[in-house]
Amino acid sequence: MKFELEFDKDVYNKQMDLLFDLNWKKKKDYYKNSQYLGLILIIIGIVLIYKRPNIFGIGYCFVFFGLSNLVSFIYYYFKIRSFYKRMEDVKVKEINDFHYIKYMNLEFTEDALITTSGDHFNLIQWSEFIHYIVKENNLILITKDYESFILGEIEVGLENFEKITSFVKVKFETKKEND
């Protein structure tokens, strides 16, 4: 199966946001909630220390656990924020690159996925892929190097998207049987 895809900036941005959410959303939500827990524990600990400082040091334990939750939140907040900024820079660079190259060819063969755009040619054997995900009408293929390829239903149409997903599913099932 061979497809010629036209680059659309809006579709690309939505797909990159989807990839970001798949990677970081659970962790971001968990640490957002741990921030509130940390603040509550610190407040309870301070109140216990102020009201009754000699109750087995329980107030200090609350402050310690609250700070440990808060420190992990701060660490991941800055880590996720810096990753998002880098991702935004990459998105701008890719959009500028594709401004000159309007079309990309994808070919699904029995042995590999072949992508060509302008002067760039990429051949990836099916054995290099470790996982695939169908999420929000997008097919995401992940390689052993954690490089991802994403293809949306909006880019190829519903009928072709169903053909591609069933083809990829068969490829992964035969790969599992061979392993």
Side-chain angles (χ1 to χ4, degrees), residues 111-175:
D111 299 325
L113 170 66
I114 303 168
T115 63
T116 55
S117 59
D119 296 336
H120 302 291
F121 175 81
N122 198 1
L123 180 118
I124 304 163
Q125 300 291 330
W126 287 111
S127 60
E128 290 295 311
F129 289 104
I130 57 171
H131 193 60
Y132 78 97
I133 303 168
V134 178
K135 182 97 173 172
E136 296 179 15
N137 297 330
N138 289 292
L139 172 67
I140 303 166
L141 298 168
I142 302 169
T143 66
K144 290 179 182 175
D145 298 330
Y146 297 105
E147 185 179 357
S148 59
F149 293 90
I150 186 164
L151 177 67
E153 177 186 307
I154 196 165
E155 296 173 297
V156 293
L158 176 62
E159 190 174 306
N160 289 331
F161 186 75
E162 289 173 354
K163 286 179 189 177
I164 293 169
T165 53
S166 63
F167 177 78
V168 168
K169 184 177 179 182
V170 167
K171 282 295 175 192
F172 274 88
E173 287 173 356
T174 56
K175 181 182 167 190

